[in-house]
Amino acid sequence: MKIISGVKLMELISRPDYLNFLQQFREKRLIKVISGVRRCGKSTLFTLFQRQLLKENVSPEQMISINFEDLRFSALTDYRKLHEYVLSHALPDRMNYIFLDEIQQVPQFERAVDSLFLHSNLDIYMTGSNAWFMSGELATLLAGRYVEISMLPLSFREFCTGDANASKRSVMANFNAYLQQGSFPYTLRFDGRQEDVDVYLDGIYSTIMLKDVAARHRITDVMRLESVFRFLMDNVGSLISIKKIADSLTSMGRKTDSKTLEKYVKGLKDSLILYEAPRYNIRGKQLLSTLSKYYAVDLGMRNRALGRRGEDLGHQLENVIYLELLRRYKTVYVGKMDQTEVDFVALGNEGPQYYQVALSTLDPMVLERELKPLQQIQDQYPKFLLTLDELESEASYNGIRKMNALKWLLSDEIH
């Protein structure tokens, strides 16, 4: 069976950056891999790309699309049957586009993919919902033969584009809606009904915790796992060590050893619900092995973990900026400059860029505090101060550019 999703195009939110990635590597002798947390839009991205192919006169018969979460394809979770199915349905005299959605559901899928890659008329695209499915044997087998992009839920710009009510609200009201309901694309279908959004997010949260973290890492104490996640969400933007987590759990009467905590944190990161920003010594240009900051892949997930306690605007803004930097740059670190801290060091093709994030710097003392770490950096790379200030939202302080954070989020520039 050849399947193209039946979702109407008008209901789909455009994801141009990810579509451009697929188009850029189309028909190149490389396997295209899209990784991302559950429900961030990977399947919809395939649908958008398939419709784009149709517009370019690629026939439906040239597309083989398999979603391994669909029970109709349960037999194909045997890698031998998957291999046989694709070859038996591929057209011998034309290019075939092979879409394998949630491929991690297939044990030893790398053996089927490795063999399919030998056929020059198969252009292979895959998605997975964790950070480990492209590790180990597959990465070894296909070294140098695949390209990967990490997909995140909706950016603020994509959220505003996809929300039918966005044009009726102010930019700040849109941002509050974005923080409240989160960034998973499907939440926009609830038309702002928060109770429905909460039920939907509960389902994603439970699936990730039980299937992607607890089951894979054989964690039996799910309540303790959730306690670790809540602690990390409650401390977004703070430097954290495993010892600090252990001390917190001990104070709650849930003493846990460091090895177990490391497994919990690794499981959360592997599921892509949690991101770690390691520290980077700006002066020494090297990574530091101690202390990191942690951020949620989605503010709705953080709200789900913390309840209304999660509505602290400063930490939420920092979380949003971190995720946006991940979209725009290859790597994002927390910067250490002597005894001060730079919120983010973003590394791209043009060298580092430095970012400080604050709710407001209208108070001269706050402005001085936020500028100090950037002022100590002696190189000539760009430095930014992002705030929610509407008055004095744009300024320059000896080369440090102050910008309104929402304006920056709505732009698509890499400055």
Side-chain angles (χ1 to χ4, degrees):
M1 182 185 298
K2 303 203 178 206
I3 295 180
I4 302 294
S5 173
V7 180
K8 295 180 182 179
L9 183 60
M10 62 178 290
E11 296 176 351
L12 303 183
I13 300 169
S14 178
R15 310 297 297 274
D17 293 338
Y18 302 114
L19 270 175
N20 290 341
F21 170 82
L22 297 185
Q23 190 64 39
Q24 176 185 354
F25 290 100
R26 174 184 167 186
E27 297 185 16
K28 300 284 195 305
R29 288 293 292 154
L30 293 165
I31 296 169
K32 277 65 71 173
V33 178
I34 302 97
S35 59
V37 70
R38 287 178 182 269
R39 305 293 175 259
C40 71
K42 300 185 298 296
S43 300
T44 299
L45 177 65
F46 274 179
T47 301
L48 287 166
F49 186 55
Q50 290 163 0
R51 291 180 180 269
Q52 187 171 309
L53 293 175
L54 290 172
K55 289 181 179 179
E56 297 176 15
N57 297 318
V58 174
S59 70
E61 290 73 31
Q62 290 174 259
M63 300 184 218
I64 301 174
S65 185
I66 304 168
N67 187 328
F68 292 100
E69 291 191 327
D70 189 329
L71 285 176
R72 289 176 294 175
F73 298 114
S74 58
L76 300 185
T77 55
D78 181 316
Y79 75 88
R80 298 177 186 86
K81 292 181 179 179
L82 169 62
H83 181 263
E84 178 184 348
Y85 178 90
V86 172
L87 292 184
S88 66
H89 286 75
L91 302 177
D93 58 343
R94 282 187 278 177
M95 179 61 71
N96 297 267
Y97 300 87
I98 315 302
F99 297 94
L100 307 174
D101 205 357
E102 301 296 353
I103 189 67
Q104 79 279 354
Q105 304 282 4
V106 181
Q108 301 185 68
F109 70 87
E110 61 273 7
R111 301 185 68 174
V113 171
D114 186 41
S115 181
L116 292 172
F117 184 75
L118 299 175
H119 298 264
S120 60
N121 68 328
L122 302 183
D123 192 21
I124 302 172
Y125 301 79
M126 312 190 306
T127 75
S129 290
N130 49 58
W132 48 261
F133 86 101
M134 279 300 290
S135 61
E137 185 177 352
L138 181 62
T140 301
L141 281 172
L142 300 181
R145 291 186 284 170
Y146 73 92
V147 288
E148 181 177 5
I149 188 170
S150 298
M151 189 174 194
L152 290 166
L154 299 178
S155 67
F156 180 50
R157 184 160 51 94
E158 290 169 331
F159 176 88
C160 292
T161 300
D163 188 348
N165 298 313
S167 61
K168 306 171 187 176
R169 298 189 295 243
S170 68
V171 174
M172 192 63 207
N174 281 328
F175 189 61
N176 287 331
Y178 180 66
L179 298 180
Q180 182 66 29
Q181 68 188 57
S183 55
F184 285 98
Y186 199 84
T187 60
L188 290 177
R189 299 194 179 197
F190 299 121
D191 198 31
R193 297 187 301 276
Q194 191 61 44
E195 62 275 13
D196 293 340
V197 171
D198 290 343
V199 171
Y200 177 70
L201 293 178
D202 280 349
I204 299 175
Y205 177 87
S206 297
T207 301
I208 292 173
M209 287 294 172
L210 295 175
K211 293 182 66 175
D212 296 341
V213 186
R216 170 164 173 75
H217 292 270
R218 299 179 182 177
I219 295 171
T220 57
D221 193 342
V222 178
M223 289 183 63
R224 193 180 301 250
L225 171 67
E226 290 188 296
S227 294
V228 172
F229 184 63
R230 279 195 298 272
F231 175 82
L232 293 171
M233 293 299 93
D234 207 18
N235 288 275
V236 158
S238 300
L239 290 170
I240 299 294
S241 65
I242 293 296
K243 183 180 184 304
K244 188 171 182 179
I245 302 173
D247 290 344
S248 174
L249 291 182
T250 299
S251 70
M252 294 186 291
R254 304 181 67 87
K255 187 174 181 179
T256 310
D257 63 84
S258 296
K259 187 176 180 180
T260 299
L261 286 175
E262 287 173 356
K263 181 172 75 169
Y264 286 7
V265 174
K266 184 180 187 304
L268 291 166
K269 291 193 299 178
D270 283 351
S271 74
L272 302 175
I273 195 175
L274 181 74
Y275 280 78
E276 179 183 6
R279 285 198 305 161
Y280 177 80
N281 187 314
I282 296 171
R283 192 180 297 281
K285 295 181 170 53
Q286 61 185 2
L287 278 177
L288 300 172
S289 59
T290 59
L291 303 178
S292 296
K293 289 187 177 183
Y294 294 90
Y295 297 94
V297 71
D298 167 74
L299 271 301
M301 288 288 101
R302 182 172 184 262
N303 294 338
R304 163 63 179 77
L306 298 180
R308 298 307 173 192
R309 291 190 300 115
E311 296 178 345
D312 46 349
L313 190 54
H315 289 145
Q316 288 181 311
L317 177 63
E318 185 173 329
N319 202 130
V320 170
I321 297 298
Y322 171 75
L323 294 176
E324 185 62 26
L325 288 171
L326 284 184
R327 295 182 180 95
R328 301 187 189 192
Y329 298 93
K330 290 182 177 180
T331 312
V332 183
Y333 297 123
V334 174
K336 180 182 183 298
M337 187 63 191
D338 299 330
Q339 301 305 310
T340 62
E341 178 187 300
V342 177
D343 285 335
F344 300 118
V345 180
L347 301 180
N349 294 329
E350 305 301 322
Q353 302 201 16
Y354 307 101
Y355 289 84
Q356 284 289 91
V357 182
L359 280 182
S360 173
T361 57
L362 296 180
D363 183 324
M365 293 182 65
V366 175
L367 177 62
E368 180 181 0
R369 184 186 70 218
E370 296 295 335
L371 289 176
K372 183 178 179 181
L374 297 176
Q375 290 168 337
Q376 292 183 348
I377 302 172
Q378 297 302 307
D379 65 40
Q380 301 304 309
Y381 290 106
K383 302 171 183 66
F384 298 93
L385 172 60
L386 303 179
T387 78
L388 290 182
D389 289 334
E390 295 183 4
L391 294 172
E392 301 180 27
S393 61
E394 302 275 341
S396 179
Y397 305 96
N398 294 321
I400 300 170
R401 182 180 177 188
K402 179 182 177 181
M403 294 183 65
N404 178 269
L406 302 189
K407 181 178 179 180
W408 179 83
L409 287 167
L410 290 172
S411 72
D412 60 357
E413 300 176 16
I414 297 179
H415 299 281

